């Protein structure tokens, strides 16, 4: 069973993960093509679960497909679309299929997506989902009844946003997630590394759980401006937008900027979470420019 991500986390290695979107339809070819290019360069590949409330293939099914190709998935699971029965059933099913890494998320609101009339569930949110996973790992269901067919052994993680406007709110949520059993944290995309530094030294210093800084590939000045306008809590600096606008080849400049940010993150935390929407094939180049060599098979 592949478990390199958990082993690397526990060995205090510098962790590298990347995000891949499942297909919208029944053909996973493009997803698999992108994921294969990350093999040997990342410890785990995140498979999103209806990110931005937009319809995509089941994250569990897509993660199981990656596993067949020897790529370790980190299966995202949100509370938006499932009640406690469905969440537990899906976690059991994911475990039986060989999935071990789960990123517990509350989920984006339905109104943000492409099925605005769909009914949201949100019976739980991310902290209570982490508590549920902890129970399942101890052989108990949500109602504290024993699982008759063995406990699970999942490696749960959570999201964190070091750039959150409310420092007290960030601290409260972070501490609750640690207490609920989160074993690793992946951050939203980081643009303010001073805030990440403050978070690492003032808040995360009291935990040994790895923090992975979100690194986003900006493809152009227009792309950066779109993110500033549409992604809450993110403010890409004007200096970066200017670099992209003045570059002869904006995409190459975006790769260079991402590599610089990976180097910054190496000085502050235990990993990076790479996001290169529809250009996941460029992640190896970003890592090369950042001086991160391919992984050695163990």
């Amino acid at each position: 069973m592949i478990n390199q991500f958990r082993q690397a986390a526990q060995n205090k290695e510098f962790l590298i993960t990347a995000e891949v979107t499942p297909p919208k339809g029944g053909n996973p070819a493009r997803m698999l093509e992108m994921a294969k290019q990350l093999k040997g360069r990342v410890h785990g590949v995140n498979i999103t679960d209806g990110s931005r409330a937009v319809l995509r293939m089941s994250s569990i099914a897509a993660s199981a497909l990656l596993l067949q190709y020897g790529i370790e998935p980190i299966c995202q699971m949100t509370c938006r679309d499932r009640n406690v029965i469905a969440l537990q059933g899906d976690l059991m099913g994911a475990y039986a299929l060989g999935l071990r890494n789960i990123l517990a998320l509350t989920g984006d609101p339905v109104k943000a997506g492409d099925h605005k009339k769909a009914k949201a569930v949100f019976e739980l949110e991310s902290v209570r989902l982490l508590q549920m996973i902890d129970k399942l790992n101890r052989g108990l269901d949500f109602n504290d009844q024993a699982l008759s067919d063995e406990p699970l052994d999942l490696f749960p993680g959570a999201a964190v946003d070091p750039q959150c406007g409310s420092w007290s709110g960030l601290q409260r949520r972070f501490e609750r997630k640690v207490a609920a059993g989160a074993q690793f944290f992946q951050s939203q995309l980081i643009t303010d590394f001073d805030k990440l530094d403050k978070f690492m030294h003032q808040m995360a210093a009291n935990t040994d759980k790895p923090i992975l800084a979100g690194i986003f590939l900006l493809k152009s000045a227009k792309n950066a401006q779109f993110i500033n306008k549409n992604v809450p809590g993110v403010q890409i600096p004007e200096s970066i937008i200017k670099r992209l606008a003045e570059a002869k080849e904006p995409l190459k400049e975006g790769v260079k900027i991402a590599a610089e940010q990976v180097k910054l993150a190496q000085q502050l935390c235990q990993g990076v979470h790479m996001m290169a929407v529809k250009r996941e094939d460029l992640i190896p180049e970003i890592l090369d420019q950042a001086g991160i060599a391919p992984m050695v098979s163990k």
Side-chain angles (χ1 to χ4, degrees):
M1 189 64 63
I2 298 174
N3 57 3
Q4 64 173 0
F5 179 66
R6 185 193 304 221
Q7 288 179 345
Q10 293 172 343
N11 292 341
K12 307 298 182 186
E13 295 178 30
F14 187 76
L15 302 171
I16 305 165
T17 59
E19 196 160 283
V20 172
T21 303
K24 187 165 186 174
N27 185 353
R30 186 191 173 282
M31 176 193 74
L32 293 171
E33 178 188 348
M34 289 296 180
K36 286 177 187 176
Q37 294 183 59
L38 299 172
K39 193 172 181 180
R41 300 308 306 263
V42 302
H43 294 95
V45 173
N46 276 57
I47 297 295
T48 57
D49 182 21
S51 178
R52 294 180 294 110
V54 172
L55 172 66
R56 293 279 177 175
M57 179 184 286
S58 154
S59 59
I60 295 172
S63 295
L65 287 169
L66 257 60
L67 205 57
Q68 293 177 12
Y69 287 87
I71 301 164
E72 181 162 3
I74 299 170
C75 181
Q76 296 187 3
M77 186 168 293
T78 70
C79 302
R80 178 189 58 242
D81 308 318
R82 306 169 176 91
N83 65 14
V84 294
I85 300 172
L87 283 167
Q88 290 175 101
D90 279 353
L91 288 164
M92 292 177 195
Y95 182 78
L97 289 169
L99 309 185
R100 295 294 179 265
N101 309 306
I102 301 290
L103 188 73
L105 301 169
T106 300
D108 298 314
V110 166
K111 64 181 180 181
D114 60 354
H115 284 63
K116 299 184 189 302
K117 294 183 179 179
K119 186 174 182 179
V121 180
F122 289 119
E123 185 172 0
L124 302 184
E125 41 68 54
S126 57
V127 173
R128 295 181 70 203
L129 176 55
L130 287 164
Q131 292 169 342
M132 173 187 282
I133 292 170
D134 180 64
K135 282 188 177 185
L136 294 171
N137 283 347
R138 291 186 284 115
L140 300 172
D141 69 13
F142 184 74
N143 293 325
D144 292 320
Q145 299 300 305
L147 301 179
S148 58
D149 296 301
E150 301 183 11
L152 310 188
D153 184 22
L154 296 169
F155 190 62
V160 65
D161 183 9
Q163 298 168 151
C164 176
S166 169
W167 187 253
S168 60
L170 170 62
Q171 182 164 13
R172 184 169 60 252
R173 291 285 293 172
F174 178 70
E175 290 175 351
R176 287 184 66 206
K177 288 178 180 181
V178 171
Q183 298 299 308
F184 64 94
F185 289 85
Q186 292 174 321
S187 92
Q188 310 288 0
L189 77 98
I190 297 293
T191 55
D192 189 333
F193 284 84
D194 288 336
K195 284 187 177 178
L196 176 62
D197 187 27
K198 180 182 177 184
F199 171 79
M200 292 303 302
H201 284 94
Q202 295 186 22
M203 200 173 297
N206 295 323
T207 178
D208 61 351
K209 307 307 179 189
I211 312 292
L212 283 70
I215 307 295
F216 191 92
L217 172 62
L218 296 167
K219 305 180 187 72
S220 66
K222 186 178 179 181
N223 180 211
Q225 289 163 343
F226 176 86
I227 289 169
N228 277 352
K229 183 179 179 181
N230 294 284
V231 180
V234 173
Q235 190 59 45
I236 296 164
E238 278 301 318
S239 57
I240 288 180
I241 295 175
K242 186 178 179 183
R243 278 181 65 178
L244 290 165
E246 294 177 350
K248 290 183 179 179
E249 299 181 76
L251 184 58
K252 282 191 175 181
E253 191 68 19
V255 168
K256 185 178 178 182
I257 291 167
E260 292 168 3
Q261 292 177 335
V262 170
K263 288 181 180 178
L264 286 171
Q266 280 183 293
Q267 300 169 30
L268 298 173
C269 55
Q270 198 189 321
V272 287
H273 177 54
M274 308 298 298
M275 294 170 277
V277 180
K278 296 183 179 179
R279 290 310 309 261
E280 294 89 349
D281 55 300
L282 291 174
I283 289 174
E285 184 178 340
I286 295 170
L287 296 173
D288 287 341
Q289 288 194 27
I292 296 178
M295 294 174 185
V296 178
S297 300
K298 296 180 181 179

